[in-house]
Amino acid sequence: MSSSGTTHHTTGRDRLWSVDEHLDDILATVRPLEPIELQLLDAQGCVLIEDVTVPVSLPPFDNSSMDGYAVRVADVAGASEEFPAVLTVIGDVAAGQGEQPTVGPGEAARIMTGAPLPPGAEAVVPVEWTDGGLGQGPATGMRAHSAAPEGASGEVRVHRPAEARAHVRARGSDVRAGDRALTAGTVLGAPQIALLAAIGRGTVTVRPRPRVVVMSTGSELVQPGEQLADGQIYDSNSFALTAAAREAGAIAYRVGAVTDDAEILRSTIEDQLIRADLLVTTGGVSVGAYDVVKEALDSIGDPDDEEGLGAGGGVEFRKLAMQPGKPQGFGTIGPDHTPLLALPGNPVSSYVSFEMFVRPAVRALMGLPDVHRTTARARLTADKALTSPAGRRQFLRGRHDADAGTVTPVGGSGSHLIAALAHADALIVVPEDTTSVEPGTDVDVVLLG
Amino acid sequence: MSSSGTTHHTTGRDRLWSVDEHLDDILATVRPLEPIELQLLDAQGCVLIEDVTVPVSLPPFDNSSMDGYAVRVADVAGASEEFPAVLTVIGDVAAGQGEQPTVGPGEAARIMTGAPLPPGAEAVVPVEWTDGGLGQGPATGMRAHSAAPEGASGEVRVHRPAEARAHVRARGSDVRAGDRALTAGTVLGAPQIALLAAIGRGTVTVRPRPRVVVMSTGSELVQPGEQLADGQIYDSNSFALTAAAREAGAIAYRVGAVTDDAEILRSTIEDQLIRADLLVTTGGVSVGAYDVVKEALDSIGDPDDEEGLGAGGGVEFRKLAMQPGKPQGFGTIGPDHTPLLALPGNPVSSYVSFEMFVRPAVRALMGLPDVHRTTARARLTADKALTSPAGRRQFLRGRHDADAGTVTPVGGSGSHLIAALAHADALIVVPEDTTSVEPGTDVDVVLLG
């Protein structure tokens, strides 16, 4: 492991990066994960990377769309309730039954929804168009076969004629063998899983959900539920970002708080690399003397550093033209060039940074077509003008009213105002070149969830 | 167990139910699950059922919002780059450090973001307003303490004055002890989990995610990936509805396909009751002779039936004024009065039925404030008029274009057109009293996901 602290191997750290430049760098670096074959239900929410062709037509055979009787058209021509066609019932055709009886002239087979149209039959008459074999006028249904097996024999009176193919679903009327069922790039929700199952696909090739390891850093951090000593605060970032990573589609592992010791942090990161497609740290990225994330990662990634974390491209620490979220680190580390995003430690800064940078990275790893949150324009509702520093893109917490087309700020701009964040459902974006936004002005909002 | 098939213990089966009547009956029966205490990350997406009060103010102590120097205001009054205030550095105050030095006149403590303001100090000057102790003009940051421990001693030149409390976050400026942090009924997303962690809550009391057991019925059903024999089709419903139940917020268990045998079905349901907050079956609910769900469940739930599934209120099978989805069963079974929804077996019928009835039930079990999908009005874009049977509410698959405010039908109205469903993102609703909808007409659409 190389020594920490002073090596400067890139130039980006010395200038101010825009939000878009930093995001573009991340999205240019993060590649979609390699596809794997997954069981259908394990692929839910994932992106299909194969074009799926229908191997067998659906339905695979002509079948009945009703519970009723399979008949020959000529036998029921002109039938009415007054002058019913009287047919001999030669048996039942239930769904999933192997052998079917052949329906000859003057005969009918009792047939269930989904059951194959038996040989000889040309149409199905619903049971409601018959006496159901009971000889007592129009039937409302069939008696259970287990309770009344005699329903599969005897006679049935048919009260209405049926055209050829009536109440018959034709083989291939849903999809035909050789049709394209789904194209590569489709996100698999319940209806797509339905189709894949229906055409017999037990597994599919998709990009898997990324495994995101979340760790917060700071010697002051205490696990919620424990007792605070002087100068300590509770670790909230590792909980918030683990939840946010899951919500973005990831499998998230919360490592929790790591103390401000560069060696401990380096070895923790090294241990976690084995299960990480993406690493997220919070804290320790600013200009302080105990900013251990910076200290631990700033010097690694040199091409000739062959040990430990060094094999990636290295992590660069930058200042962004952004509030909150000015200090940010990004790069790749370890033998698999695993991307690492080092976020600032203030809870609101880290959450906003997650939304702006980590969420798109997670979705890019999944290969999702759209990595961004939905945005909207909304009219600012506020008592007074919003102020924002010149040259920085500001993200304020707000509540969005979609019906009214308005957004109202919640809490102030302080990056520690976690309580306000918990009551917001949107981020109000104040552009770099804007220092004041009057009430009534239209603003961009990022809709959270 | 009572005999199956002929007992009629309720009256609702003999009339046509509207979609709204059936849904109202379900929502009047399904009660929110009993609250339990969960670890914070296990409570994600759940509804809080306690008002959470802040036990300790946030931040819990006055602390620095910058990396810099904690000073006394009088010592830096009038300071400039030309005439800096020269202060003796008495040590470091890092976040999480127990003991703090007292800052006396002419003294400064190097302080890190988040560290407690030490005794004697009245303000923080950012390191960028100082020479960082290096005597070489304005600093851009601090050297790591591990690499340069001398930074915690020596002298620092301060180039700008600071007002009292400058760069100090006051104790309680985020939330105060005794404040209401979150109210009962809040859905816990990442920002709410952030706040709960920040105030030290390791666990919270929420309504848990419901456990939904999904089983399809039909002797014709084969597991995807296996070989089809004559008359067989693949089981898609159990996959689709398990995925849909998860997407609705449930913990879903897919039992898979059960053969058309009433006794096997009854015993399977009985086995599954132990892990079910809600049971969903597909198939076997119509008027056929092999409709085993109806056969297995139709007779149970009598008040005097004390055995097996009988302790619930019983399952009633109904005809709904709905297309697809006419035959439906609903009721409660077993000792815990577990709700059971019996959906029709056609894939599109079962999916639409899930959206209309099961999804609201899942969300009602979670205690979510809004159990319904988002709906919208959209202009129908189609080549020809849509037709719909009189007296039935029809749900057609469509693609919704939110920007254009239009919806376009996908595929036909056949309840087996699973391929079309997989390319839809909305359901077009044609009301009961409408039999034809001309292109260009505004229609209601249910937005799927």
Side-chain angles (χ1 to χ4, degrees):
Chain A
M1 234 179 259
S2 63
S3 72
S4 64
T6 52
T7 316
H8 284 239
H9 59 284
T10 51
T11 58
R13 67 181 62 203
D14 299 323
R15 64 183 180 89
L16 200 62
W17 287 60
S18 75
V19 171
D20 293 334
E21 284 173 332
H22 186 62
L23 180 60
D24 287 348
D25 184 37
I26 292 167
L27 293 180
T29 304
V30 170
R31 310 311 322 159
L33 294 177
E34 285 302 308
I36 60 173
E37 191 174 355
L38 289 180
Q39 293 288 319
L40 214 42
L41 284 173
D42 293 334
Q44 186 174 3
C46 295
V47 174
L48 189 68
I49 61 91
E50 50 170 337
D51 289 330
V52 174
T53 301
V54 178
V56 55
S57 293
L58 287 185
F61 44 84
D62 290 351
N63 71 93
S64 178
S65 70
M66 302 290 278
D67 298 312
Y69 292 85
V71 298
R72 299 166 77 100
V73 169
D75 285 343
V76 296
S80 68
E81 202 170 331
E82 198 176 353
F83 301 106
V86 183
L87 304 176
T88 303
V89 178
I90 58 167
D92 275 356
V93 192
Q97 178 183 307
E99 294 277 299
Q100 295 124 32
T102 298
V103 178
E107 293 179 343
R110 199 164 67 156
I111 191 167
M112 310 305 147
T113 305
L117 191 70
E122 299 157 327
V124 170
V125 288
V127 64
E128 294 88 347
W129 294 8
T130 75
D131 71 349
L134 302 176
Q136 297 171 340
T140 57
M142 298 175 189
R143 295 188 65 198
H145 177 76
S146 59
E150 68 277 14
S153 58
E155 287 183 342
V156 63
R157 283 172 169 67
V158 178
H159 299 150
R160 290 170 61 172
E163 292 178 6
R165 314 291 296 170
H167 307 111
V168 174
R169 295 173 184 146
R171 167 186 162 82
S173 59
D174 196 341
V175 287
R176 288 176 186 281
D179 281 357
R180 176 70 41 85
L182 294 172
T183 54
T186 302
V187 181
L188 300 182
Q192 292 75 35
I193 286 173
L195 175 57
L196 290 166
I199 65 172
R201 289 294 297 259
T203 62
V204 278
T205 308
V206 297
R207 295 197 193 281
R209 295 177 178 277
R211 298 160 302 158
V212 175
V213 169
V214 178
M215 61 186 82
S216 49
T217 67
S219 300
E220 75 278 24
L221 300 179
V222 173
Q223 171 101 348
E226 294 179 10
Q227 201 65 37
L228 284 185
D230 275 356
Q232 294 183 325
I233 60 171
Y234 289 109
D235 172 24
S236 64
N237 288 343
S238 70
F239 291 88
L241 301 194
T242 300
R246 280 189 198 159
E247 195 267 322
I251 297 163
Y253 301 113
R254 179 188 156 268
V255 173
V258 180
T259 196
D260 286 330
D261 180 291
E263 264 326 297
I264 291 175
L265 181 64
R266 276 182 75 116
S267 80
T268 304
I269 290 175
E270 205 149 341
D271 288 350
Q272 293 294 330
L273 271 177
I274 189 75
R275 63 168 177 174
D277 297 310
L278 176 70
L279 282 152
V280 180
T281 66
T282 67
V285 293
S286 194
V287 298
Y290 297 79
D291 280 335
V292 292
V293 175
K294 205 168 174 179
E295 189 181 341
L297 300 178
D298 209 13
S299 61
I300 64 167
D302 297 359
D304 55 351
D305 179 354
E306 303 260 326
E307 281 179 56
L309 302 178
V315 175
E316 182 172 280
F317 291 86
R318 300 166 179 169
K319 287 179 180 163
L320 260 63
M322 176 176 173
Q323 185 187 57
K326 184 180 177 186
Q328 300 278 346
F330 170 65
T332 61
I333 59 171
D336 297 325
H337 297 254
T338 306
L340 182 147
L341 279 89
L343 311 184
N346 282 316
V348 176
S349 305
S350 76
Y351 180 75
V352 170
S353 301
F354 184 97
E355 282 290 335
M356 291 301 117
F357 305 121
V358 183
R359 192 171 195 280
V362 167
R363 296 176 69 81
L365 286 165
M366 295 180 75
L368 286 166
D370 189 359
V371 302
H372 296 293
R373 287 276 197 195
T374 304
T375 56
R377 293 286 286 178
R379 198 172 69 259
L380 179 68
T381 306
D383 295 337
K384 53 183 172 56
L386 302 182
T387 58
S388 176
R392 293 176 76 172
R393 190 179 299 180
Q394 193 179 43
F395 295 92
L396 291 160
R397 276 65 67 204
R399 284 198 71 82
H400 180 240
D401 183 332
D403 293 330
T406 58
V407 67
T408 310
V410 180
S413 64
S415 54
H416 60 303
L417 295 174
I418 191 80
L421 179 63
H423 295 92
D425 60 10
L427 297 175
I428 302 170
V429 185
V430 184
E432 290 81 347
D433 58 2
T434 303
T435 55
S436 175
V437 183
E438 294 295 326
T441 309
D442 278 353
V443 291
D444 284 324
V445 293
V446 178
L447 306 181
L448 304 173
Chain B
M1 237 177 256
S2 62
S3 72
S4 63
T6 52
T7 316
H8 283 237
H9 59 283
T10 51
T11 58
R13 67 182 60 203
D14 299 323
R15 65 181 178 89
L16 200 62
W17 287 60
S18 74
V19 171
D20 293 334
E21 285 172 333
H22 185 61
L23 179 59
D24 287 349
D25 184 36
I26 292 167
L27 294 179
T29 304
V30 170
R31 309 313 319 163
L33 294 177
E34 284 302 308
I36 59 173
E37 190 173 356
L38 289 180
Q39 294 288 321
L40 214 42
L41 284 172
D42 293 335
Q44 186 173 4
C46 294
V47 175
L48 189 68
I49 60 91
E50 49 170 338
D51 288 331
V52 173
T53 300
V54 177
V56 55
S57 294
L58 286 186
F61 44 85
D62 290 351
N63 70 95
S64 178
S65 69
M66 301 292 278
D67 299 313
Y69 292 85
V71 298
R72 299 165 78 99
V73 169
D75 286 342
V76 295
S80 66
E81 203 169 330
E82 199 176 355
F83 302 105
V86 182
L87 304 177
T88 303
V89 179
I90 59 167
D92 275 354
V93 192
Q97 179 183 308
E99 293 279 296
Q100 293 123 32
T102 298
V103 177
E107 294 179 344
R110 199 164 67 155
I111 191 167
M112 310 304 147
T113 305
L117 191 70
E122 298 158 327
V124 171
V125 288
V127 64
E128 293 88 349
W129 296 6
T130 76
D131 71 348
L134 302 176
Q136 298 169 338
T140 57
M142 300 174 188
R143 296 188 65 198
H145 177 76
S146 58
E150 67 276 14
S153 59
E155 288 184 341
V156 65
R157 283 171 167 69
V158 176
H159 300 150
R160 289 171 62 172
E163 294 179 4
R165 314 292 294 170
H167 307 110
V168 174
R169 295 173 184 146
R171 168 185 160 84
S173 59
D174 196 343
V175 288
R176 287 175 187 283
D179 281 357
R180 177 70 41 86
L182 294 173
T183 54
T186 301
V187 181
L188 300 181
Q192 292 76 36
I193 286 173
L195 176 57
L196 290 166
I199 64 172
R201 289 294 296 258
T203 62
V204 279
T205 308
V206 297
R207 295 198 194 280
R209 294 177 180 278
R211 299 160 301 159
V212 174
V213 170
V214 178
M215 61 186 83
S216 47
T217 67
S219 299
E220 75 278 24
L221 299 179
V222 173
Q223 172 101 349
E226 294 178 9
Q227 201 63 37
L228 284 186
D230 275 356
Q232 295 184 323
I233 60 172
Y234 289 110
D235 172 25
S236 64
N237 288 343
S238 70
F239 291 89
L241 302 193
T242 300
R246 281 190 198 156
E247 194 268 322
I251 297 163
Y253 302 113
R254 178 187 157 269
V255 172
V258 181
T259 196
D260 285 331
D261 179 292
E263 264 326 298
I264 291 175
L265 181 65
R266 275 182 77 116
S267 81
T268 304
I269 290 175
E270 204 150 341
D271 287 350
Q272 293 294 331
L273 270 178
I274 190 75
R275 63 167 177 176
D277 297 311
L278 177 69
L279 283 152
V280 180
T281 65
T282 67
V285 293
S286 193
V287 297
Y290 296 81
D291 280 335
V292 291
V293 175
K294 205 169 174 178
E295 187 181 341
L297 300 177
D298 208 14
S299 62
I300 65 168
D302 296 358
D304 54 351
D305 178 354
E306 304 259 327
E307 281 177 56
L309 303 176
V315 175
E316 181 172 281
F317 291 86
R318 299 166 180 170
K319 288 179 181 162
L320 261 63
M322 176 176 174
Q323 184 187 57
K326 184 180 176 185
Q328 300 277 348
F330 170 66
T332 61
I333 59 172
D336 297 325
H337 298 253
T338 306
L340 181 146
L341 280 86
L343 312 184
N346 283 315
V348 176
S349 305
S350 76
Y351 180 75
V352 170
S353 301
F354 185 97
E355 282 290 335
M356 291 301 116
F357 306 121
V358 184
R359 192 172 195 280
V362 167
R363 296 176 70 81
L365 285 165
M366 295 180 75
L368 286 166
D370 190 358
V371 301
H372 296 293
R373 287 275 197 197
T374 304
T375 57
R377 292 286 284 178
R379 200 173 67 260
L380 179 67
T381 305
D383 295 335
K384 53 182 173 51
L386 302 181
T387 58
S388 177
R392 293 175 77 173
R393 190 180 300 180
Q394 193 180 40
F395 296 93
L396 291 160
R397 278 66 67 202
R399 285 198 71 82
H400 180 241
D401 183 332
D403 294 330
T406 58
V407 67
T408 310
V410 181
S413 64
S415 52
H416 61 305
L417 295 174
I418 191 80
L421 179 63
H423 296 93
D425 60 11
L427 296 175
I428 302 170
V429 185
V430 184
E432 290 80 348
D433 57 3
T434 303
T435 56
S436 174
V437 184
E438 293 295 325
T441 310
D442 278 353
V443 292
D444 284 324
V445 293
V446 178
L447 306 180
L448 304 173

